[in-house]
Amino acid sequence: MPQIETVRGQVEVTELGPTLMHEHIFIMQPEALQNWGHAFGPCYWNERERIDDAIAKLTRLREAGIQTIVDPTVPGLGRFIPRIQTLNRAVDLNIIVATGVYAFLELPNFLANRGVDAIAELFVREIRDGIDDTGVKAAFLKCAVEKHGIIGDVPRILAAIAAASNETETPIMVHTNATKRTGLDALEALTEDGVDPSRVVIAHAGDSNDLGYLRTIADTGASLGCDRFGIDHFNPMAERIKTLLALLAEGYGDRIHLSHDASCFYDFMVGDPVFANENPDYLLISKHVVPALLEAGASHEHIAQMMIENPQRFFAGATTPAPEPVHAPAPIDDTVSTNV
Ligand SMILES: [Zn+2]
């Protein structure tokens, strides 16, 4: 039985249970804290309070039936594994973590002068030996192709990600910009470097209601990240659900990942009134989206496929068959497409 690495060690892939495929816990830059910690009043970070808050939120998620979360917080977003290990001791939840780098244009200075092979080697080390000295191993690779496209250091990042994936047979999650359709650019670059599209998830594809774009991605065998339920700024909830139902009706249920892209804390929201009404909620899918899908005619099999089987296949990789393109002749008209 294939094993998957989590913060608490290896878990059989069949034991992952209901899984949210894209959730953060903390997004925060240590350098910001060291320089602007008190710039907006009393220090915004109290280690113990933030960990306790995360334990409470993740405990509620576990009680709602979620057994695993996949956390793509890599360097660039403030990954700090010892903090995750501390809170995971108090919550019975599988937390799967990533290697890679989150940069839209330029590599951070620390990596800027290193070659593709050296950067790939760092990623491979985090998959095979562990992240720094924590003993926690990464189970997937994460990178980004934002609105700017594949320019600046992004080609080098994609090349290093592809090399590490090919060497370790580890799946890849790419943050993309749905409006600019950069999921297609990401897939083209990765497949040119020898990556099997069925090992790739196009994160934030669900920000789009353009069924043409979504079908083009899914028809390669790649997965669609319908992973921002609750972030109405990018796509309102009702539209997300309508598009998801259309994809299910067309038979794409075997390549959809569900999640919220939530976090217990985001430092970039501190003191910024733009985010005053943000209330990230890890429970929206359990409490709102799944009931709405069932009510609209989706089956319990669809839900199990998206929340249990697809995560397992994404991580198990070559040991399970690649998804067959099973979509039926399109019964849905394209009025759903509003081209975000
Ligand atoms: Zn994210």
Side-chain angles (χ1 to χ4, degrees):
M1 200 54 69
Q3 302 279 318
I4 165 93
E5 297 291 341
T6 76
V7 168
R8 298 184 298 186
Q10 290 194 331
V11 172
E12 276 186 15
V13 85
T14 51
E15 299 297 311
L16 293 178
T19 300
L20 293 174
M21 286 297 284
H22 188 134
E23 306 294 352
H24 302 274
I25 300 175
F26 302 112
I27 291 185
M28 84 127 184
Q29 298 281 357
E31 195 181 16
L33 178 62
Q34 288 157 5
N35 288 278
W36 299 309
H38 299 84
F40 302 95
C43 187
Y44 60 75
W45 186 264
N46 175 307
E47 185 80 15
R48 192 64 251 173
E49 278 175 21
R50 293 296 175 197
I51 288 177
D52 286 346
D53 174 67
I55 290 169
K57 286 172 177 161
L58 295 174
T59 299
R60 284 199 287 278
L61 170 121
R62 181 68 187 80
E63 286 166 358
I66 301 298
Q67 292 177 27
T68 302
I69 63 168
V70 174
D71 178 358
T73 309
V74 289
L77 287 167
R79 186 187 67 184
F80 184 51
I81 297 298
R83 184 178 290 133
I84 305 299
Q85 288 176 292
T86 299
L87 70 86
N88 207 175
R89 281 192 275 275
V91 189
D92 180 22
L93 185 71
N94 300 314
I95 303 174
I96 298 174
V97 297
T99 182
V101 64
Y102 186 82
F104 295 168
L105 289 167
E106 289 189 311
L107 280 162
N109 282 348
F110 188 84
L111 298 177
N113 297 307
R114 299 174 207 265
V116 168
D117 290 351
I119 295 169
E121 221 171 278
L122 272 178
F123 298 159
V124 169
R125 179 188 183 275
E126 297 196 325
I127 292 163
R128 290 200 174 138
D129 305 326
I131 296 168
D132 201 31
D133 62 351
T134 62
V136 173
K137 294 176 185 172
F140 67 109
L141 290 139
K142 166 84 183 291
C143 59
V145 179
E146 242 303 322
K147 60 185 176 192
H148 322 280
I150 302 182
I151 60 167
D153 286 338
V154 178
R156 290 167 64 206
I157 296 171
L158 288 166
I161 291 279
S165 172
N166 290 334
E167 188 175 335
T168 59
E169 295 187 358
T170 299
I172 300 170
M173 177 187 293
V174 194
H175 163 109
T176 60
N177 183 306
T179 310
K180 297 284 183 187
R181 300 162 65 101
T182 60
L184 297 175
D185 304 315
L187 271 176
E188 190 183 320
L190 290 169
T191 50
E192 266 174 23
D193 282 337
V195 174
D196 178 343
S198 73
R199 304 312 315 282
V200 179
V201 57
I202 299 302
H204 316 322
D207 289 351
S208 176
N209 302 308
D210 176 350
L211 288 174
Y213 173 63
L214 299 170
R215 286 186 198 111
T216 307
I217 293 169
D219 285 341
T220 68
S223 295
L224 300 168
C226 295
D227 51 16
R228 278 179 163 166
F229 281 96
I231 308 187
D232 287 1
H233 169 74
F234 291 116
N235 196 7
M237 175 65 89
E239 292 295 308
R240 288 183 192 276
I241 290 175
K242 199 167 147 193
T243 299
L244 179 51
L245 285 164
L247 290 168
L248 291 176
E250 293 188 28
Y252 288 108
D254 66 346
R255 61 203 70 184
I256 290 170
H257 292 185
L258 294 187
S259 222
H260 308 89
D261 200 9
S263 185
C264 296
F265 180 76
Y266 306 82
D267 65 353
F268 58 83
M269 293 185 183
V270 171
D272 190 338
V274 167
F275 298 110
N277 296 319
E278 289 295 327
N279 189 18
D281 187 350
Y282 293 116
L283 301 179
L284 280 177
I285 288 173
S286 306
K287 299 223 157 125
H288 180 72
V289 176
V290 167
L293 292 172
L294 293 172
E295 176 139 340
S299 66
H300 288 278
E301 287 71 28
H302 282 133
I303 307 299
Q305 195 172 34
M306 294 188 286
M307 298 194 75
I308 300 173
E309 293 159 28
N310 295 349
Q312 289 182 10
R313 196 179 54 249
F314 183 70
F315 288 109
T319 54
T320 53
E324 292 289 320
V326 290
H327 52 280
I332 302 293
D333 74 64
D334 279 45
T335 50
V336 168
S337 305
T338 53
N339 284 301
V340 191

Tab-separated table of all heavy atoms in Angstrom, residues 22-24 27 71-73 77 102 142 173 175 203-204 227-228 231 260-262 266, ligand 1:
chain	number	residue	atom	x	y	z
A	22	HIS	N	-6.302	22.174	-0.458
A	22	HIS	CA	-5.513	23.421	-0.530
A	22	HIS	C	-5.928	24.342	0.616
A	22	HIS	O	-6.809	25.187	0.455
A	22	HIS	CB	-5.753	24.108	-1.882
A	22	HIS	CG	-4.848	25.280	-2.143
A	22	HIS	ND1	-4.193	25.462	-3.339
A	22	HIS	CD2	-4.474	26.332	-1.375
A	22	HIS	CE1	-3.467	26.571	-3.297
A	22	HIS	NE2	-3.633	27.125	-2.098
A	23	GLU	N	-5.318	24.152	1.769
A	23	GLU	CA	-5.587	25.020	2.922
A	23	GLU	C	-4.263	25.427	3.548
A	23	GLU	O	-3.384	24.588	3.738
A	23	GLU	CB	-6.431	24.298	3.988
A	23	GLU	CG	-7.736	23.699	3.498
A	23	GLU	CD	-8.780	24.717	3.021
A	23	GLU	OE1	-8.583	25.931	3.189
A	23	GLU	OE2	-9.788	24.260	2.451
A	24	HIS	N	-4.148	26.695	3.877
A	24	HIS	CA	-2.978	27.158	4.619
A	24	HIS	C	-3.308	27.162	6.107
A	24	HIS	O	-4.472	27.039	6.493
A	24	HIS	CB	-2.595	28.561	4.155
A	24	HIS	CG	-2.305	28.615	2.680
A	24	HIS	ND1	-1.072	28.336	2.159
A	24	HIS	CD2	-3.113	28.885	1.609
A	24	HIS	CE1	-1.116	28.448	0.836
A	24	HIS	NE2	-2.342	28.756	0.478
A	27	ILE	N	-0.015	32.228	7.039
A	27	ILE	CA	0.721	32.904	5.966
A	27	ILE	C	1.345	34.129	6.593
A	27	ILE	O	0.641	35.063	7.004
A	27	ILE	CB	-0.207	33.253	4.800
A	27	ILE	CG1	-0.629	31.946	4.116
A	27	ILE	CG2	0.488	34.198	3.810
A	27	ILE	CD1	-1.445	32.095	2.885
A	71	ASP	N	-1.406	21.403	2.737
A	71	ASP	CA	-0.974	22.781	2.993
A	71	ASP	C	0.163	23.168	2.049
A	71	ASP	O	1.300	22.744	2.232
A	71	ASP	CB	-0.525	22.897	4.462
A	71	ASP	CG	-0.014	24.299	4.792
A	71	ASP	OD1	0.030	25.158	3.893
A	71	ASP	OD2	0.350	24.521	5.967
A	72	PRO	N	-0.147	23.989	1.033
A	72	PRO	CA	0.886	24.365	0.056
A	72	PRO	C	1.662	25.627	0.446
A	72	PRO	O	2.067	26.397	-0.416
A	72	PRO	CB	0.068	24.592	-1.214
A	72	PRO	CG	-1.259	25.064	-0.728
A	72	PRO	CD	-1.443	24.587	0.688
A	73	THR	N	1.864	25.846	1.728
A	73	THR	CA	2.625	27.015	2.181
A	73	THR	C	4.116	26.703	2.049
A	73	THR	O	4.669	25.946	2.844
A	73	THR	CB	2.285	27.336	3.652
A	73	THR	OG1	0.871	27.396	3.798
A	73	THR	CG2	2.915	28.650	4.086
A	77	LEU	N	5.772	32.171	1.251
A	77	LEU	CA	4.513	32.354	1.968
A	77	LEU	C	4.714	32.231	3.481
A	77	LEU	O	3.774	32.418	4.244
A	77	LEU	CB	3.478	31.312	1.514
A	77	LEU	CG	2.878	31.514	0.120
A	77	LEU	CD1	2.122	30.264	-0.331
A	77	LEU	CD2	1.925	32.710	0.123
A	102	TYR	N	7.277	29.987	-3.836
A	102	TYR	CA	6.143	30.808	-4.248
A	102	TYR	C	6.685	32.152	-4.678
A	102	TYR	O	7.027	33.000	-3.850
A	102	TYR	CB	5.185	30.944	-3.068
A	102	TYR	CG	3.884	31.655	-3.349
A	102	TYR	CD1	2.804	30.974	-3.924
A	102	TYR	CD2	3.707	32.992	-3.006
A	102	TYR	CE1	1.597	31.616	-4.152
A	102	TYR	CE2	2.493	33.633	-3.230
A	102	TYR	CZ	1.440	32.940	-3.800
A	102	TYR	OH	0.234	33.571	-4.023
A	142	LYS	N	5.224	22.764	-5.084
A	142	LYS	CA	4.339	23.913	-5.302
A	142	LYS	C	5.117	25.027	-5.983
A	142	LYS	O	6.252	25.317	-5.612
A	142	LYS	CB	3.821	24.398	-3.942
A	142	LYS	CG	3.151	25.764	-3.929
A	142	LYS	CD	1.690	25.692	-4.332
A	142	LYS	CE	1.040	27.085	-4.396
A	142	LYS	NZ	0.870	27.714	-3.114
A	173	MET	N	1.550	21.060	-7.568
A	173	MET	CA	0.446	22.018	-7.526
A	173	MET	C	0.974	23.360	-8.019
A	173	MET	O	1.969	23.850	-7.507
A	173	MET	CB	-0.088	22.162	-6.094
A	173	MET	CG	-1.195	23.211	-5.958
A	173	MET	SD	-1.655	23.508	-4.213
A	173	MET	CE	-2.390	21.950	-3.765
A	175	HIS	N	-0.015	27.307	-8.463
A	175	HIS	CA	-0.891	28.475	-8.297
A	175	HIS	C	-0.989	29.154	-9.655
A	175	HIS	O	0.040	29.390	-10.303
A	175	HIS	CB	-0.271	29.421	-7.246
A	175	HIS	CG	-0.842	30.814	-7.273
A	175	HIS	ND1	-1.670	31.300	-6.284
A	175	HIS	CD2	-0.692	31.814	-8.173
A	175	HIS	CE1	-2.002	32.551	-6.579
A	175	HIS	NE2	-1.428	32.898	-7.716
A	203	ALA	N	-4.080	24.880	-9.494
A	203	ALA	CA	-4.733	25.531	-8.357
A	203	ALA	C	-5.418	26.816	-8.829
A	203	ALA	O	-4.909	27.514	-9.704
A	203	ALA	CB	-3.712	25.841	-7.277
A	204	HIS	N	-6.576	27.078	-8.272
A	204	HIS	CA	-7.398	28.267	-8.537
A	204	HIS	C	-8.061	28.237	-9.918
A	204	HIS	O	-8.605	29.254	-10.356
A	204	HIS	CB	-6.601	29.574	-8.341
A	204	HIS	CG	-5.757	29.566	-7.090
A	204	HIS	ND1	-6.193	28.995	-5.918
A	204	HIS	CD2	-4.498	30.026	-6.847
A	204	HIS	CE1	-5.241	29.111	-4.998
A	204	HIS	NE2	-4.198	29.718	-5.538
A	227	ASP	N	-10.724	25.468	-5.419
A	227	ASP	CA	-10.051	25.503	-4.117
A	227	ASP	C	-10.145	26.836	-3.399
A	227	ASP	O	-9.380	27.110	-2.489
A	227	ASP	CB	-8.560	25.141	-4.318
A	227	ASP	CG	-7.897	25.980	-5.407
A	227	ASP	OD1	-8.467	27.009	-5.789
A	227	ASP	OD2	-6.804	25.582	-5.875
A	228	ARG	N	-11.108	27.680	-3.825
A	228	ARG	CA	-11.243	28.964	-3.132
A	228	ARG	C	-12.697	29.234	-2.749
A	228	ARG	O	-13.157	30.388	-2.845
A	228	ARG	CB	-10.687	30.095	-3.997
A	228	ARG	CG	-9.166	30.224	-3.891
A	228	ARG	CD	-8.684	31.344	-4.797
A	228	ARG	NE	-7.335	31.783	-4.465
A	228	ARG	CZ	-6.591	32.546	-5.275
A	228	ARG	NH1	-7.078	32.959	-6.434
A	228	ARG	NH2	-5.384	32.911	-4.913
A	231	ILE	N	-13.899	32.669	-1.174
A	231	ILE	CA	-13.207	33.888	-1.611
A	231	ILE	C	-14.004	34.458	-2.790
A	231	ILE	O	-13.712	34.223	-3.961
A	231	ILE	CB	-11.726	33.624	-1.965
A	231	ILE	CG1	-11.040	32.894	-0.794
A	231	ILE	CG2	-11.014	34.955	-2.259
A	231	ILE	CD1	-9.535	32.731	-0.937
A	260	HIS	N	-10.739	25.546	0.278
A	260	HIS	CA	-11.101	26.950	0.534
A	260	HIS	C	-9.943	27.924	0.321
A	260	HIS	O	-10.169	29.118	0.261
A	260	HIS	CB	-11.574	27.127	1.974
A	260	HIS	CG	-12.648	26.193	2.415
A	260	HIS	ND1	-12.386	24.958	2.979
A	260	HIS	CD2	-14.001	26.296	2.375
A	260	HIS	CE1	-13.529	24.359	3.273
A	260	HIS	NE2	-14.518	25.132	2.911
A	261	ASP	N	-8.695	27.457	0.304
A	261	ASP	CA	-7.527	28.345	0.326
A	261	ASP	C	-7.614	29.265	1.543
A	261	ASP	O	-7.253	30.440	1.479
A	261	ASP	CB	-7.421	29.162	-0.980
A	261	ASP	CG	-6.029	29.730	-1.233
A	261	ASP	OD1	-5.092	29.362	-0.506
A	261	ASP	OD2	-5.889	30.556	-2.157
A	262	ALA	N	-8.108	28.721	2.649
A	262	ALA	CA	-8.246	29.511	3.881
A	262	ALA	C	-6.939	29.450	4.661
A	262	ALA	O	-6.001	28.732	4.291
A	262	ALA	CB	-9.398	28.977	4.717
A	266	TYR	N	-3.312	35.617	8.157
A	266	TYR	CA	-2.576	36.163	7.007
A	266	TYR	C	-1.971	37.495	7.444
A	266	TYR	O	-2.717	38.432	7.737
A	266	TYR	CB	-3.495	36.504	5.846
A	266	TYR	CG	-4.431	35.440	5.324
A	266	TYR	CD1	-5.647	35.194	5.949
A	266	TYR	CD2	-4.128	34.741	4.157
A	266	TYR	CE1	-6.536	34.254	5.435
A	266	TYR	CE2	-5.014	33.811	3.640
A	266	TYR	CZ	-6.218	33.565	4.283
A	266	TYR	OH	-7.098	32.653	3.767
B	1	ZN	ZN	-3.081	29.037	-1.437
